[in-house]
Amino acid sequence: GIKYVIDTGLVKVRSYLSKTGMDTLMVTPVSKTSCIQRSGRAGREQPGKCYHLFPEEEFNNLEAFLKPEILRCNLSMVVLQLKAIDIDDIQSFEFIDKPKTSAIERALKELELLGALNDEGHLTQTIGARMAELPTEPIFSKLILEATNYGPVILDQVLTMVAMLSIESVFYSPNSEKKQAEGLRKQFVVGAGDHLTYLKVYYKWAENKFRKNWCFSNYINFRSLKKAQQIRLQLEDYVEAIMSKNKSYQKVHGKKAMLMNGDDSGEEIADVDCLKGDVAALMDPAKREELLSCLIKGLYMQVAKLNPDNMTYTTILTQQQVQIHPSSVLFNVKPRPTYVIYNELVITNKRYMRTLSGINSHLLFEYAPNFFKEKYINKLEDGQIINQELSKKRKTPDTPMSEQSRLSNQSTNSSKKKFKTN
């Protein structure tokens, strides 16, 4: 029933910067095909119009298509899959759209640090081959494999955590009920950080039999949790398939979780009892440290240290100065943890860490000894890069902040001529 469409000529595009390891969410001009597609949304059922808020001359100067995703994403998973099918010479592989050499080199280095590749660049059978069987980003694949060594409880928590990190925002706050939503959100906050907070949300949902009404009353996105539930079950199947040859491996649950119709949620997991007690475990300092130690084994490349200003952080691997994202539960925590482990780095108007948890420094040296050496403790305090390959002095590449500002300023000038599409 859409009759009118207003096209600003701009779109937010996520791109990965291989030199800094950051994702950017930049406002860029749309392509011609996207512009035409937007026009097609008007008047499908009745005559309509699309108003483009930019001159026709600017339309003629637009790119025909947006840059292919393979040229603006992290290539670690792509390279891992190519290695899994015995394609070792990635640089010579004939991509339809050839990524930059630096992006491929970055992916190879990340996989080597994760243990997926050996020194010669070949896939390791104990880690790399198993990582390639999981349908997740390599860092999460490594995290899941590490969790299998901790027993069914930690594995259950890690599978849930990875599923929760694979969905959109869990919380929502209607403008008219913002204070009430923020007040109810506090009941789910775990002081250690976002990872355990997301776990608590899922387990609380499980305790309430995955009811849809419970989500609505707590301002939680039911569709997102439902998707996390489906992802979690799929990951469980993959893990059990990978580990089935190991006789000492125990299934995540005593019986297979089944989907069934619920009273008001649409779907429930029948095997609810297997999740009970995990909320209490999150509050236990000893068990919490065990889970964080598992996180470090999988995400040890994504650690940042608090700067002397007690506000910003510096990433250990790439020496980027970043801040805690306002959506994090640690954003208003004082004093802030000295070390944090984060899920991703993004650039919007600032450089942010998203989804992070505070960690103790001794865990870094205890559970990631090949990356964090005791002899580097002083260098770590001085903010120097630990990895030998990255410790050579190099100038930090400029991020395209000025480009973002330039693109944003291309928005509509009211004095310019506008054209419309019937």
Side-chain angles (χ1 to χ4, degrees):
I2 298 175
K3 187 174 181 180
Y4 300 103
V5 171
I6 299 176
D7 177 19
T8 62
L10 300 172
V11 63
K12 286 186 176 181
V13 178
R14 181 181 290 271
S15 299
Y16 178 75
L17 303 177
S18 59
K19 292 183 179 180
T20 60
M22 286 188 170
D23 285 313
T24 63
L25 190 60
M26 297 173 57
V27 178
T28 63
V30 297
S31 63
K32 287 182 180 179
T33 53
S34 297
C35 188
I36 295 172
Q37 184 183 38
R38 291 179 178 184
S39 300
R41 293 176 181 174
R44 289 184 177 179
E45 298 180 0
Q46 56 183 318
K49 295 182 184 294
C50 177
Y51 294 90
H52 303 274
L53 305 183
F54 48 90
E56 187 171 3
E57 180 182 354
E58 188 171 328
F59 170 81
N60 295 329
N61 294 329
L62 293 175
E63 296 289 338
F65 303 95
L66 285 176
K67 184 184 293 187
E69 187 174 358
I70 196 171
L71 302 181
R72 50 184 175 85
C73 70
N74 188 337
L75 297 177
S76 296
M77 191 170 185
V78 175
V79 172
L80 181 62
Q81 295 301 322
L82 289 175
K83 291 285 186 179
I85 57 175
D86 296 327
I87 298 178
D88 281 330
D89 191 359
I90 307 298
Q91 295 287 8
S92 300
F93 183 76
E94 296 182 359
F95 291 92
I96 296 177
D97 296 290
K98 181 74 172 180
K100 292 182 179 180
T101 301
S102 60
I104 297 177
E105 290 177 349
R106 170 86 185 194
L108 290 169
K109 187 59 186 177
E110 286 185 2
L111 293 174
E112 183 181 343
L113 290 173
L114 288 171
L117 303 179
N118 57 25
D119 294 338
E120 298 177 352
H122 299 304
L123 196 69
T124 57
Q125 294 302 311
T126 55
I127 299 178
R130 291 183 175 183
M131 286 173 58
E133 295 182 44
L134 291 168
T136 57
E137 292 295 329
I139 57 171
F140 292 143
S141 299
K142 176 65 180 299
L143 176 60
I144 291 172
L145 292 180
E146 290 291 348
T148 60
N149 300 320
Y150 280 77
V153 175
I154 295 297
L155 178 57
D156 179 274
Q157 293 177 335
V158 168
L159 291 178
T160 304
M161 185 183 301
V162 172
M164 292 292 284
L165 294 176
S166 303
I167 61 176
E168 298 296 329
S169 178
V170 176
F171 302 104
Y172 69 93
S173 302
N175 291 331
S176 59
E177 303 172 18
K178 192 171 184 179
K179 289 185 178 180
Q180 184 177 355
E182 291 177 353
L184 289 172
R185 186 180 304 177
K186 293 179 180 178
Q187 66 180 309
F188 302 107
V189 172
V190 179
D194 299 312
H195 296 94
L196 273 65
T197 296
Y198 289 154
L199 273 181
K200 187 174 181 180
V201 170
Y202 188 92
Y203 288 133
K204 281 290 185 181
W205 184 46
E207 286 183 356
N208 287 273
K209 299 182 179 180
F210 306 95
R211 299 184 190 280
K212 187 175 184 179
N213 288 341
W214 179 86
C215 292
F216 289 159
S217 61
N218 288 279
Y219 297 93
I220 292 174
N221 192 322
F222 171 71
R223 289 185 177 181
S224 293
L225 283 185
K226 186 177 177 182
K227 184 177 180 180
Q229 182 189 73
Q230 295 169 348
I231 293 174
R232 184 185 177 286
L233 290 174
Q234 292 175 13
L235 289 176
E236 181 185 330
D237 289 337
Y238 276 102
V239 171
E240 290 181 354
I242 292 173
M243 304 301 294
S244 59
K245 296 181 181 180
N246 187 349
K247 296 181 179 181
S248 63
Y249 171 72
Q250 297 179 359
K251 288 188 176 182
V252 179
H253 303 312
K255 59 178 181 178
K256 180 64 181 174
M258 301 294 292
L259 291 177
M260 58 178 290
N261 293 328
D263 296 335
D264 56 357
S265 64
E267 287 187 350
E268 283 189 4
I269 295 181
D271 194 7
V272 176
D273 290 342
C274 63
L275 298 175
K276 287 185 177 179
D278 285 326
V279 172
L282 294 177
M283 301 298 106
D284 187 327
K287 295 181 179 179
R288 182 188 305 175
E289 184 169 302
E290 186 178 14
L291 177 58
L292 290 176
S293 69
C294 181
L295 277 181
I296 291 172
K297 285 190 174 182
L299 306 178
Y300 56 82
M301 293 191 300
Q302 301 178 182
V303 175
K305 182 182 183 298
L306 184 66
N307 291 326
D309 61 8
N310 292 323
M311 288 295 295
T312 61
Y313 285 81
T314 298
T315 59
I316 299 300
L317 187 63
T318 58
Q319 293 292 279
Q320 299 293 314
Q321 186 166 307
V322 294
Q323 300 182 35
I324 297 177
H325 195 273
S327 63
S328 172
V329 300
L330 296 180
F331 183 71
N332 293 317
V333 171
K334 298 291 171 57
R336 290 187 167 177
T338 304
Y339 294 95
V340 294
I341 191 166
Y342 56 86
N343 183 45
E344 62 176 346
L345 298 176
V346 296
I347 302 178
T348 52
N349 58 331
K350 297 179 181 179
R351 297 168 178 162
Y352 289 115
M353 298 179 291
R354 293 186 62 180
T355 313
L356 59 153
S357 295
I359 53 175
N360 294 324
S361 59
H362 77 272
L363 294 177
L364 299 176
F365 304 110
E366 182 176 354
Y367 294 103
N370 294 330
F371 192 75
F372 296 96
K373 304 289 187 180
E374 286 287 356
K375 63 181 179 180
Y376 288 119
I377 182 70
N378 293 328
K379 291 186 178 182
L380 185 61
E381 295 297 329
D382 294 336
Q384 296 183 18
I385 302 177
I386 291 177
N387 184 264
Q388 294 180 0
E389 294 294 328
L390 297 174
S391 62
K392 298 177 182 179
K393 294 183 179 179
R394 58 177 66 172
K395 189 174 182 180
T396 303
D398 294 331
T399 54
M401 298 302 292
S402 57
E403 177 69 7
Q404 180 180 359
S405 300
R406 184 186 68 79
L407 293 169
S408 299
N409 289 335
Q410 290 183 357
S411 57
T412 311
N413 187 331
S414 58
S415 63
K416 291 183 178 181
K417 177 182 176 182
K418 304 176 179 58
F419 69 100
K420 60 183 179 181
T421 304
N422 291 325

